[in-house]
Amino acid sequence: MIVAQQKPFEEIWEMIKDFKKVLVFGCNTCVAICHAGGSKEAEILASMLKIKASQEGKEIQIDHAAIERHCEPEFFEPMMEKARSYDLILSTACGVGVNFLSERIGNIPVYPALNTSFYGAVPEPGFFVELCAGCGSCILHLTGGICPVARCSKSLMNGPCGGTSNGKCEVSDQIDCAWYLIIERMKKLGTLEKLFEIQPPRDWSTSRDGGPRRISLEHIRAYEEKEEKSENKTEAC
Amino acid sequence: MKSGSNLEKIIASGQMAVTAELGPPMSADPHEIIEKAKVLKGFCDAANITDCQTAVVRISSIAAAYISQQAGLEPVMQMTCRDRNRIAIQADLLGAAALGLKNCLCIAGDHQKFGAAGKLKGHPGAKNVYDVDTCQLVGILQKMRDQGLQQGGDKIEVPPKFFIGASWTPMGEPMDFRPYNLKKKVDAGADFIQTQGIYDMELFKQQMEKARNLGLHERTAILAGIIVPKSAMMLKYMDSSVAGVTVPKPLIERMLKAKEAAGDDKKRAKELQEQEGIKITVELVKQALEIPGIKGVHIQAIEWESAIEEIVKAAGLYPRPNL
Ligand code: SF4
């Protein structure tokens, strides 16, 4: 899932303090799981901002709302009219949600209340860790299911570097050395010899290229188009 | 000859090679490089010019290597993967070769976090690159030199002819993988290897045996790295905090004894420890050169270049061959 963290409160306040009517708009998928931007967090943030506004003697109407997902239009379409009555949307969705809503809402600014951080898992409640970099060219079959792009501090493909110490990365003893983990895991899997081969320079164009990366599933699009047409036909009958 | 560098010639002649290290300054003043080069000249076959070591901004390795070369000391230009993508790396390699540089050592580079240490602020917020890693960088150099091709496949009319080096941390973790780690660098095209600083010769011998079993000593020239210890404190620090370095207790105790012999006289304590450090280094150098498959030593006297002369002489490695 996408893991995000609320921005420092002062930074959020600076963003919104000159607006008159603000909607704190939550998303109940990923960012709710990481306790950053679901309906509960949107409500708490709205309350805190209201208190701050009254302390600062500012008259701002601050409401809150949340929907299931900010990354698909059908979820926020029903909210659009209400959202358009505000002069600022303070989104507690991830960055995808902020972008997506900005494109659709018209001339109303959408500001981020979160720092969208990474794709991660929840190994224990309240703890999140990045496990995938979304690089667009997966090599996990070569590295025992442990991603060096996301988890090695240097994204090395032929690690480890000389910095491994007690299984930890040279950057911090709080960071596991990804390559130490990879080697130990490959030993257990009996596939260590896979690591004896040199991984050639990567094609990073799948990772960060010109403009946003896109994936188009032609069969799904064709199917949807067909469905739409037949629906129109039935309606015409 | 692949590059025709002095270092390559000495290794090819079968004589033990000696390399040292020269750290460029954090200013635009070339004199420090020239001074250090003068001190090292004649006592090593080539000197590594570090590439913003510990992620501290210094005169670039290429520029400093050129200045060193002009001053009569053959440089081993270092090239980290931290700061440049493959376009910048190859452009720099072409430029370095055009300037007449002949040795290049490929390393991953210390993480940018290390720049902020002691009094230095560094640039811990810098973005690192790591478009390619050390192994891949070695491969790029070899492809440029031997096939006359850029990594992307475009032709190079006049290829850069480097004697290609890589580093190796033989006692890094996981220890049993390190010989294979070396093998990958050799497979990629490393002509010579400089190891991380070694104090535990027994452990190093074991790792060298594994390297020999893989036949690596015949395919690359392994130079044993020795970091000249300056004080007991430094040895303790290296033992506890430098990855892949373990210092046997007796060595630390020898240094402590040297320090204690000076009583409260701090200046004397420094002198005595430095003397003991040089002695220890000479012993380590001699032991390393006895190990089958070792083709030389890489002696690092960090910010203490003047120590090299005495060490090299005492180790029986002087005069350096003139080829
Ligand atoms: S210590 Fe391990 S995780 Fe850290 S940079 Fe080196 S190989 Fe990567």
Side-chain angles (χ1 to χ4, degrees), chain A residues 154 158 166-167 171 195 202, chain B residues 86 109 113 133 173 176 184:
Chain A
K154 301 174 186 171
N158 299 280
N166 299 319
V171 170
L195 295 182
R202 275 174 71 97
Chain B
R86 67 192 79 178
K113 191 208 101 173
D133 64 19
E173 293 168 17
D176 48 358
K184 286 177 85 167

Side-chain angles (χ1 to χ4, degrees), chain A residues 151-154 156 160-161 163-164 168-170 176-179:
Chain A
R151 297 169 69 179
C152 164
S153 301
K154 301 174 186 171
L156 303 178
C161 74
T164 325
K168 301 293 175 186
C169 173
E170 68 172 29
D176 289 330
C177 167
W179 275 99

Side-chain angles (χ1 to χ4, degrees), chain B residues 19 89 97-98 115-117 149 156 163 179 189 194 227 250 256 288 314:
Chain B
T19 53
I89 284 176
L149 293 174
I156 307 169
F163 193 46
Q194 290 169 330
I227 302 172
L256 277 174

Side-chain angles (χ1 to χ4, degrees), chain B:
Chain B
M1 283 281 119
K2 290 166 172 168
S3 69
S5 75
N6 186 46
L7 181 60
E8 182 184 7
K9 282 182 198 157
I10 286 175
I11 288 171
S13 76
Q15 301 176 77
M16 289 294 169
V18 177
T19 53
E21 196 153 296
L22 190 162
M26 290 173 69
S27 87
D29 181 2
H31 293 102
E32 201 179 313
I33 302 168
I34 297 167
E35 286 313 309
K36 285 182 179 177
K38 274 189 199 151
V39 172
L40 291 172
K41 194 179 154 186
F43 303 107
C44 60
D45 307 317
N48 286 28
I49 313 292
T50 48
D51 182 11
C52 296
Q53 199 174 14
T54 63
V56 171
V57 173
R58 296 169 178 279
I59 288 188
S60 73
S61 178
I62 296 177
Y66 181 71
I67 296 167
S68 165
Q69 179 131 305
Q70 296 297 100
L73 174 68
E74 180 169 287
V76 177
M77 168 185 76
Q78 291 194 355
M79 174 77 75
T80 73
C81 304
R82 179 192 57 222
D83 306 325
R84 310 167 182 82
N85 70 5
R86 67 192 79 178
I87 300 172
I89 284 176
Q90 292 178 96
D92 279 351
L93 288 171
L94 292 179
L99 287 170
L101 305 182
K102 293 193 169 104
N103 305 304
C104 179
L105 182 93
C106 307
I107 44 173
D110 300 314
H111 192 269
Q112 63 275 14
K113 191 208 101 173
F114 289 98
K119 284 186 200 130
L120 295 180
K121 294 187 194 72
H123 300 85
K127 185 176 190 308
N128 63 30
V129 181
Y130 295 110
D131 175 21
V132 293
D133 64 19
T134 316
C135 232
Q136 296 163 345
L137 177 55
V138 168
I140 289 173
L141 260 95
Q142 197 203 36
K143 186 172 174 181
M144 291 175 92
R145 182 189 69 196
D146 297 345
Q147 297 175 39
L149 293 174
Q150 294 185 5
Q151 190 272 328
D154 289 334
K155 251 183 97 77
I156 307 169
E157 206 133 306
V158 180
K161 300 279 185 193
F162 284 107
F163 193 46
I164 307 166
S167 59
W168 180 40
T169 307
M171 272 87 90
E173 293 168 17
M175 279 255 286
D176 48 358
F177 189 75
R178 292 293 164 171
Y180 297 102
N181 195 262
L182 172 63
K183 181 172 185 294
K184 286 177 85 167
K185 290 176 182 177
V186 176
D187 287 344
D191 303 307
F192 71 99
I193 296 289
Q194 290 169 330
T195 75
Q196 167 64 293
I198 297 153
Y199 294 104
D200 193 334
M201 273 301 155
E202 288 312 310
L203 211 51
F204 180 55
K205 276 181 197 161
Q206 291 169 25
Q207 290 300 77
M208 274 304 293
E209 192 183 336
K210 290 179 197 147
R212 285 197 305 276
N213 290 340
L214 293 170
L216 302 179
H217 63 304
E218 281 161 356
R219 298 173 53 209
T220 194
I222 303 173
L223 311 188
I226 315 284
I227 302 172
V228 188
K230 253 184 183 168
S231 63
M233 210 172 79
M234 174 178 165
L235 276 182
K236 280 188 196 162
Y237 171 79
M238 303 267 312
D239 186 46
S240 64
S241 307
V242 179
V245 177
T246 47
V247 185
K249 278 226 173 68
L251 287 189
I252 300 179
E253 276 156 19
R254 269 175 69 179
M255 274 299 224
L256 277 174
K257 247 193 200 158
K259 186 182 170 197
E260 279 155 15
D264 288 339
D265 188 343
K266 281 198 176 146
K267 200 174 150 230
R268 184 85 187 121
K270 185 171 177 269
E271 278 169 17
L272 288 181
Q273 288 183 91
E274 287 184 356
Q275 280 170 17
E276 193 63 30
I278 288 180
K279 250 201 210 154
I280 289 173
T281 306
V282 173
E283 289 168 23
L284 290 171
V285 166
K286 286 182 175 168
Q287 289 165 22
L289 293 176
E290 293 286 312
I291 301 174
I294 286 293
K295 301 281 165 59
V297 281
H298 176 56
I299 311 169
Q300 299 173 63
I302 301 160
E303 294 301 321
W304 189 20
E305 287 77 8
S306 58
I308 296 291
E309 174 176 351
E310 193 180 336
I311 293 164
V312 170
K313 284 181 173 166
L317 292 165
Y318 187 80
R320 298 308 307 145
N322 191 357
L323 302 177

